[in-house]
Amino acid sequence: MQTTEIPAGAYAVTTDCGDASAFKSLQARLPGIWRAIQDGSGFAHTSVVVPSLSVDPQELRKIEGASFYEERLLFSLMRLRHPHARVLYVTSQPVHPDIVDYYLHLLAGVPASHARRRLGLVCVHDTSEEPLSRKILRRPRLIRRIRDWIGDPQSAYLTCNNSTELERTLALEIGIPLNGVDPDYLQWGTKSGSRSAFAAAGVDHPHGVEHVRDEAGLIDALLELAERRPGIRKAVVKFEEGFSGEGNAIFSYPESHASRDAAGRRAIAERLRGLAWAAADESYDRYMGKFHQMGGIVEEFIEGDEVRSPSVQMRITPSGEIVPLSSHEQILGGANGQVYVGCRFPADDAYRATLHDAAMSIARVLGEHGVVSRFGIDFIATRERGGAWRCRALEINLRMTGTTHPFMALEFLTGGAVEPGTGLFRSPRGEIKYYVASDNLKSPYYRGLLPEDLMDIVVHNGLDFRPSTETGALFHMIGGLSQYGKLGVTCIGNSPAEAEAIYSRAVSVLDAETGASQPLGGRASPLLDRRAPRME
């Protein structure tokens, strides 16, 4: 196959009809590979993991230490539990050997030496802001080495953080199917596409206006929304493909809603200048420039006496089966409470079944349109004092999300599964498991800690996961600790209170070991409130 030119400055490439046809032919292998792995017959196979964050570079730049998010998929090393599985993990920069050992020693029942022989680590040695998939495509010799390591391409597949035309091209170049959504269906993961799927599924979602393209369109959409929702106070403006809530902004309406005449439009335009950004360093001109480029939606801002942000993870398998994976209570932060910073598993008993039913309806719509993928659906749950909870769908993320790797950690450590009827996770011993997780455990006092320092702290303070109790903490994004003072953690307990206590203790130990717990040491409380652990 002729190599596709990868232009600089863009994060998507255009493939011709021949490429699209070749990709569909390649994808036809995936159901057979999937069935062979699932039937437990000792099928020898290879997983190539490319944790590329193939999203808009300007949006990714807003996330501190984004390059180390490539380490989040190290939980996929759990595939090495299968004695005939091989994993090739590709990164932009080297993964510290202590980090790899940290994960391998947690593979219950598998000697670390045996797993290590079946693991390949490849580093591109390129710390630029380009997506990892593009970096690989620029290195044809590396692609040849990947092919050589795989051996038989008929029993191999590619796993990525998200799917774009870059990942489709990479799958074609390597010659293995992509275990992810076909980029032809990515419109269902945009904000406008999500709303279309919710409507088709008959799932409750906020009032809004889709396919808004520019500033004039924003003004029209805000006026239209005010007409539909008399008395509305706020709206949310969202990029079509915003990442982690960083592209969201809050609009506050004038006290008397403007009309569609010239004066009314001027009033809305003036209020637009006062948008409250999720990103602290955003500016109006920069935000509107990005909106003109990407487009987006306007949606009513949902308020209530109690407001929560649950989500559901789903999977449509290569064989077409719809599988509910997990539900979470998302913890949001940032300047206006729109940015994902962590989660708790599972979602509240009061509405978990409602979430699962809605997610199944949405997944059926996506499945009918050909989507095969792991994906997340974000909801908002509200209730007035003494009333019932109301859940509304907000968006579909056709990729691995911030709740994917904590759940993978739970599977990695326990080997259990979610009960279809209850949505609760039960380990092989019969224990129900709960966790608190964050990608944003950070302090300026953590800077300078090397991976081996963290390992010393974990071992000396008993912060490691204990197989005897199936409880404890598992850290991730450890490579970013020295430079950014930031890492992630998943804290697993046999009750919600135990998971919270393990999280609180992990924060306290790290603070004490680094001096952050001293007066004026920059320490925040481990638990800001019952539902928000220290995630800055």
Side-chain angles (χ1 to χ4, degrees):
M1 192 192 90
Q2 184 177 0
T3 301
T4 303
E5 177 65 22
I6 308 298
Y11 65 98
V13 295
T14 301
T15 53
D16 60 27
C17 293
D19 282 345
S21 175
F23 181 73
K24 292 188 184 303
S25 176
L26 197 62
Q27 291 301 94
R29 291 187 207 160
L30 196 58
I33 295 172
W34 174 266
R35 286 192 295 271
I37 294 172
Q38 297 300 310
D39 70 13
S41 61
F43 175 62
H45 60 281
T46 300
S47 174
V48 179
V49 182
V50 177
S52 180
L53 296 174
S54 299
V55 299
D56 185 86
Q58 292 183 39
E59 291 305 295
L60 197 59
R61 207 170 293 138
K62 298 173 182 177
I63 299 176
E64 189 177 39
S67 61
F68 291 98
Y69 278 57
E70 289 180 5
E71 292 185 11
R72 295 198 304 184
L73 289 193
L74 282 170
F75 293 126
S76 44
L77 298 190
M78 70 180 180
R79 294 170 183 171
L80 295 171
R81 270 201 181 122
H82 191 306
H84 300 286
R86 299 165 76 235
V87 174
L88 181 65
Y89 200 94
V90 189
T91 53
S92 295
Q93 52 196 331
V95 179
H96 195 289
D98 283 5
I99 298 175
V100 178
D101 288 344
Y102 176 63
Y103 286 97
L104 292 184
H105 96 276
L106 291 167
L107 283 169
V110 179
S113 59
H114 192 276
R116 193 174 287 106
R117 288 196 297 271
R118 295 179 283 114
L119 171 64
L121 297 172
V122 175
C123 173
V124 179
H125 294 284
D126 182 345
T127 60
S128 67
E129 293 182 341
E130 283 192 324
L132 174 59
S133 294
R134 187 190 300 284
K135 296 172 186 176
I136 298 169
L137 287 167
R138 291 191 186 281
R139 293 165 169 83
R141 290 177 183 269
L142 173 58
I143 291 174
R144 285 199 294 272
R145 284 197 293 274
I146 291 173
R147 289 189 198 127
D148 290 343
W149 197 92
I150 291 170
D152 181 8
Q154 298 297 320
S155 58
Y157 63 95
L158 177 65
T159 296
C160 298
N161 181 73
N162 63 313
S163 301
T164 70
E165 291 182 357
L166 281 175
E167 285 67 41
R168 174 161 60 189
T169 303
L170 184 60
L172 286 166
E173 289 294 328
I174 298 174
I176 58 176
L178 173 64
N179 185 23
V181 64
D182 185 328
D184 282 351
Y185 306 127
L186 286 178
Q187 73 270 16
W188 294 105
T190 65
K191 302 299 187 294
S192 294
S194 296
R195 291 180 55 82
S196 296
F198 302 153
V203 170
D204 194 6
H205 57 288
H207 289 268
V209 180
E210 303 88 32
H211 304 294
V212 184
R213 301 304 312 174
D214 52 28
E215 186 177 41
L218 268 178
I219 294 171
D220 288 336
L222 288 163
L223 288 168
E224 180 181 338
L225 187 58
E227 289 175 352
R228 286 196 221 162
R229 303 291 289 165
I232 188 172
R233 299 194 308 157
K234 294 180 181 179
V236 187
V237 180
K238 300 179 179 180
F239 291 156
E240 283 287 15
E241 299 176 44
F243 182 76
S244 192
E246 293 283 356
N248 295 359
I250 306 298
F251 174 84
S252 296
Y253 278 95
E255 288 186 10
S256 57
H257 292 160
S259 61
R260 287 182 178 266
D261 59 20
R265 293 180 64 82
R266 279 196 301 272
I268 294 294
E270 288 173 6
R271 283 293 180 126
L272 268 177
R273 292 276 172 179
L275 281 174
W277 325 108
D281 61 347
E282 191 61 272
S283 71
Y284 183 80
D285 289 341
R286 187 163 55 238
Y287 186 87
M288 291 309 302
K290 177 57 64 176
F291 198 91
H292 279 242
Q293 175 186 335
M294 188 181 292
I297 66 169
V298 170
E299 205 165 63
E300 63 177 323
F301 182 84
I302 303 297
E303 298 179 279
D305 288 337
E306 291 185 72
V307 181
R308 296 182 185 173
S309 301
S311 67
V312 177
Q313 281 189 71
M314 302 290 293
R315 167 178 263 161
I316 303 176
T317 72
S319 57
E321 182 186 6
I322 297 174
V323 181
L325 296 177
S326 62
S327 64
H328 293 85
E329 296 290 343
Q330 297 185 107
I331 302 164
L332 305 183
N336 58 15
Q338 295 283 303
V339 179
Y340 174 86
V341 292
C343 64
R344 286 179 170 84
F345 170 85
D348 196 296
D349 293 347
Y351 46 73
R352 188 165 58 244
T354 299
L355 295 177
H356 277 243
D357 288 345
M360 286 294 292
S361 296
I362 295 164
R364 281 192 283 269
V365 169
L366 298 182
E368 288 167 2
H369 286 86
V371 171
V372 173
S373 179
R374 180 192 288 262
F375 58 93
I377 307 170
D378 292 344
F379 292 82
I380 186 167
T382 60
R383 69 173 172 180
E384 304 306 323
R385 192 170 292 107
W389 287 100
R390 178 181 179 183
C391 297
R392 281 168 275 197
L394 294 181
E395 64 183 73
I396 301 168
N397 295 296
L398 284 182
R399 55 177 170 80
M400 296 190 183
T401 70
T403 60
T404 301
H405 52 281
F407 185 72
M408 290 175 70
L410 183 60
E411 292 180 305
F412 180 97
L413 293 168
T414 69
V418 166
E419 295 177 335
T422 66
L424 297 172
F425 188 98
R426 197 175 293 275
S427 76
R429 298 180 185 179
E431 293 275 4
I432 296 176
K433 297 296 175 181
Y434 304 83
Y435 62 74
V436 180
S438 172
D439 288 337
N440 290 272
L441 177 56
K442 64 181 181 179
S443 165
Y445 280 76
Y446 299 170
R447 290 182 186 137
L449 285 178
L450 302 178
E452 46 265 55
D453 297 325
L454 179 65
M455 299 309 156
D456 286 343
I457 292 171
V458 167
V459 172
H460 293 161
N461 291 277
L463 285 180
D464 52 329
F465 181 81
R466 303 294 178 87
S468 60
T469 61
E470 295 180 330
T471 62
L474 181 64
F475 293 93
H476 60 275
M477 295 195 318
I478 298 168
L481 188 56
S482 180
Q483 182 177 355
Y484 296 101
K486 174 180 177 178
L487 77 167
V489 66
T490 301
C491 297
I492 300 169
N494 290 324
S495 68
E498 185 176 22
E500 298 282 354
I502 293 169
Y503 183 93
S504 180
R505 182 167 181 269
V507 173
S508 297
V509 166
L510 286 171
D511 284 349
E513 290 278 356
T514 59
S517 59
Q518 301 302 314
L520 304 179
R523 179 183 186 271
S525 60
L527 297 175
L528 297 179
D529 60 43
R530 193 191 69 80
R531 296 187 298 110
R534 203 281 294 284
M535 302 171 187
E536 298 174 347

